[in-house]
Amino acid sequence: MNNFKLILVFLFSCISYVATAQDARVKGVILDDQNRPVTDVNISAGSKVEQSDSNGFFEITIPSNKKTVLLFTHISLKMMTLTVNLKPNELLVFNPVMNNSEEQMGEVFVTSKNRKRVQGITVIDQATIKKIPGANAGIENILKTLPGVNSNNELSTQYAVRGGNYDENLVYVNEIEVYRPFLIRSGQQEGLSFTNTDLVQNVDFSAGGFQAKFGDKLSSVLDITYRKPTQFCAVLEASLLGGSIAVDAVSKNKKWSAVTGVRYRNNSLLVDSQDTKTNYTPVFADIQTNINYDVSKKWQLSFLGNISQNKYLYQPLTRETKFGTIDQPMALAVYYEGQEKDQYDTYFGALKTTYKPSSTLTFKLIGSIFHTIEQEHFDILAQYRLANVNEEGTINPDDVQFTRGIGSQLNHARNDLDALIANIEIKGFKEWNDSQLEFGLKYTRESIRDRIVEWEIIDSAGFSINPPILDLPKNNQPYEPYTGPLLPYQNIRAVNFNDINRFSGYAQWNNKTELGSSQFWSTIGARFQSWQVSGASVEGDNQIVFSPRAQFALKPDWDKDMVFRISGGLYYQPPFYRELRDADGVVNPNVKAQQSVHFVVSNDYNFKMWNRPFKWVTELYYKSLSDVNVYSIDNVRIRYAADNNAKAYAKGLDFRLNGEFVPGTESWISFGYLKTEENYEDKGFIARPTDQRLKFAMLFQDYMPNIPSVKLYLNLVYNTGLPGGSPSYSDPYLYQNRLNDYRRVDVGFAKVFIDSNTKIAKYNWLKNFRELSLGLEIFNLFNNQNAITNTWVRDAYSKNQYAIPNYMTTRVFNIKLNSRF
């Protein structure tokens, strides 16, 4: 009887414990080693079993405060295990990669998106990219919230990383390097970036010290993988800025799959908020497709294609900009005639074949062609009036106190460019236990046909202003007659037909080992590139560079979950066509590769706060540059000196704290310090055009506690002012201006009608949707006036020049609809 009572007490205690205990959850997306979602994976935790769906998604409930082993099994892939110990109501996001090599996962207590931390790669969630508001929403919009990544132009998708410029960033889609148009000079002309976020599956970003398998650039790598669909799906997005649609298709035998996206964008909503009033008729549209075919289990084919057309028709009408001080308010009024017609047509196609003769050996053959046809034609006459005005700052005749300057400016251009870039590359991957060898060889041919006809005439109060050339006769107008020649203020005329042949290759060794009780990873590799520039009237020397690189990571056997990394090497950037062409349009075929020595030390710390997972990343970096090709930046157009007569350095410190500030959502705060200077012809060190000293950014996601279907998304960026906005032809060693700080907050509100966690009744009208949301976005919430450049206007009376800021967009409201079928 006593034994019977003991059994009853024991059973009652167990039942009471189970009834009062709270569960935890583990969810994520399961991929194979080709980054494809894996369906029908059994996830078991004791007697509880769940399966991944057609998108590879799984979610399983497990007991809290208890060590639990999750078992991942699939009919054709090796088993994986994960040991966790989670708190009540805790959510662990785990995205495993299953392949033919067995991988036993270690014990995990609290982690938050722990992928690729050893390589120092920042992984950006595709869902976050789609949600966060921005004037140019997409991957680049998210990158600008990361430490070390800077941009002062919300109309542009270009970004600078740790003191580099826009041309120093590598962008890959499905391991294929992609390019941007050559002639674009302002952000509002860009329209669409190459990457279609509706097609994206993985986004990896490295801000420095990256591996040898990536190409020859000085600053960063953005590595994007488009998804391989497993079932039919359609995504539709519409807003006041345009729209997009993407379709996933799969054949019945599952061998064929394709994801195709069409996008249209119209920047009128943003351009109309600027000081310049225009008739603006842009057409930015493209179509992309990623087609995959599984020939067999060992052989796969894929095709990536893109056709893009950006038509930019711009007819400025008037402009009124207010500036000055409270004591001396001033205004500039401009009246325009003429128009600008730009068009950028790009065609891109790439074929990739992957062959796996065994589970440890992989070969890839990649061929791609990029063709761009660009024209930049404009004739715009601007007649201006610069005046002191009353306190209200208007420039109406009754409000003008004193007119300081009257003049005009005529800009003309007939610029045309045709570029064809062809690549063929072979890559290999061999695996031995905890070591891997990667290698590749690539040939590139670049054929450029370029014509530049561009001039500018400026007059002030009826007197033509000559270019600042020292050997012209003295100009003391209007007090003395001018007897010299009348010349345009700027005049560039050039025709360049050039071909560039490049050979490049790499090899790198990845290894994992044990140092005592600690884990140690090393990646050692090297690249080379050989190139030669030729043309109708130029013939360059054959040049070769060799680039060794290394990464080391150590995870001590501590109670605290930390990883220490050191990476660096010798990085070269052989000149692209734009870097060969100087400010006068003349090509120098013997421009050398810019050289940079990278040294990056970082710490990655995973920890718990408020019983939720967080990560703190600290990176200290230094770059020493030689054979520097100095440049100037006007909006997003870069003009190089096309020589190698400078040296430079960049140093800084980056911090990033990310985690679940709100349960179930990822947010982060970034801070960066940067100092970069250059020394041209031994004149001394001065700030480079990308010397962005301080940067603070925040990306925040939240929801209303009582109405969780109402979401909030916040995107905040603060950058200190860049050097820039100086008068044309000014010597930066004699005069270097710095723009005002860049401050911008974009916020979005969304009502989610249905998502993956919503249960819908059988007869509800929402049952045909997988996701549906309607949102309101407010760009530049606090209506900050951010200037990208200055327009310099001359006062003929005092001969002073006034810097008139060219402001970016003001506060703008946008409505956005997202749906998935």
Side-chain angles (χ1 to χ4, degrees), residues 1-8:
M1 180 64 70
N2 290 334
N3 291 337
F4 180 74
K5 289 181 179 179
L6 289 174
I7 294 172
L8 288 177

Side-chain angles (χ1 to χ4, degrees), residues 208-415:
F210 43 88
Q211 299 175 358
K213 68 178 180 180
F214 297 114
D216 298 290
K217 296 283 188 179
L218 295 182
S219 293
S220 73
V221 174
L222 177 62
D223 190 13
I224 299 164
T225 303
Y226 281 177
R227 68 177 175 270
K228 183 178 179 181
T230 57
Q231 65 177 7
F232 176 81
C233 177
V235 178
L236 174 66
E237 179 183 302
S239 75
L240 299 180
L241 290 170
S244 65
I245 185 170
V247 177
D248 292 8
V250 182
S251 65
K252 290 184 178 180
N253 60 7
K254 305 294 184 180
K255 286 194 171 185
W256 287 93
S257 66
V259 55
T260 303
V262 179
R263 295 182 294 173
Y264 169 81
R265 184 175 176 87
N266 187 324
N267 278 341
S268 298
L269 184 69
L270 299 170
V271 174
D272 288 345
S273 71
Q274 296 180 292
D275 286 342
T276 302
K277 304 306 177 185
T278 68
N279 288 328
Y280 181 70
T281 311
V283 178
F284 303 140
D286 81 338
I287 179 171
Q288 288 192 40
T289 186
N290 182 34
I291 302 172
N292 298 277
Y293 176 56
D294 294 334
V295 181
S296 66
K297 291 183 178 181
K298 294 184 177 181
W299 186 18
Q300 293 86 38
L301 294 172
S302 66
F303 171 78
L304 176 65
N306 174 67
I307 299 176
S308 174
Q309 184 177 80
N310 289 2
K311 288 185 178 180
Y312 177 78
L313 179 58
Y314 180 75
Q315 185 179 8
L317 302 176
T318 62
R319 168 183 173 179
E320 184 171 319
T321 302
K322 304 166 187 176
F323 66 105
T325 64
I326 296 176
D327 295 334
Q328 191 180 37
M330 301 182 68
L332 173 73
V334 185
Y335 306 92
Y336 296 96
E337 296 181 30
Q339 63 182 350
E340 178 175 354
K341 288 184 177 181
D342 302 335
Q343 182 166 331
Y344 313 96
D345 296 339
T346 60
Y347 308 89
F348 177 83
L351 183 65
K352 180 171 77 171
T353 178
T354 302
Y355 179 63
K356 297 190 67 170
S358 69
S359 61
T360 60
L361 182 62
T362 303
F363 292 103
K364 296 178 181 179
L365 180 64
I366 304 172
S368 66
I369 294 178
F370 173 79
H371 187 203
T372 180
I373 304 171
E374 306 175 24
Q375 73 170 33
E376 184 183 43
H377 295 177
F378 57 79
D379 288 283
I380 296 179
L381 173 64
Q383 297 176 313
Y384 66 87
R385 182 184 186 184
L386 177 68
N388 290 82
V389 295
N390 61 19
E391 295 179 357
E392 296 180 357
T394 62
I395 203 166
N396 296 324
D398 296 337
D399 301 318
V400 173
Q401 296 178 349
F402 178 71
T403 298
R404 289 191 169 272
I406 296 176
S408 61
Q409 175 178 318
L410 176 61
N411 287 278
H412 168 91
R414 293 294 184 271
N415 300 331

Side-chain angles (χ1 to χ4, degrees), residues 449 496-500 533-540 589:
R449 305 293 181 262
N496 300 309
F497 285 20
N498 296 106
D499 296 315
I500 307 173
V533 181
S534 60
S537 58
V538 297
E539 189 70 28

Side-chain angles (χ1 to χ4, degrees), residues 37-89:
V38 182
T39 185
D40 297 329
V41 176
N42 290 319
I43 306 99
S44 60
S47 60
K48 187 159 189 176
V49 180
E50 298 288 348
Q51 270 196 341
S52 62
D53 64 15
S54 58
N55 293 316
F57 177 82
F58 75 94
E59 182 172 351
I60 187 169
T61 302
I62 62 174
S64 60
N65 294 320
K66 178 182 178 182
K67 184 180 291 188
T68 305
V69 178
L70 276 70
L71 191 65
F72 296 78
T73 57
H74 189 270
I75 190 172
S76 62
L77 298 172
K78 292 294 184 180
M79 178 186 70
M80 295 178 62
T81 62
L82 173 69
T83 305
V84 295
N85 191 342
L86 303 180
K87 299 297 183 182
N89 294 322

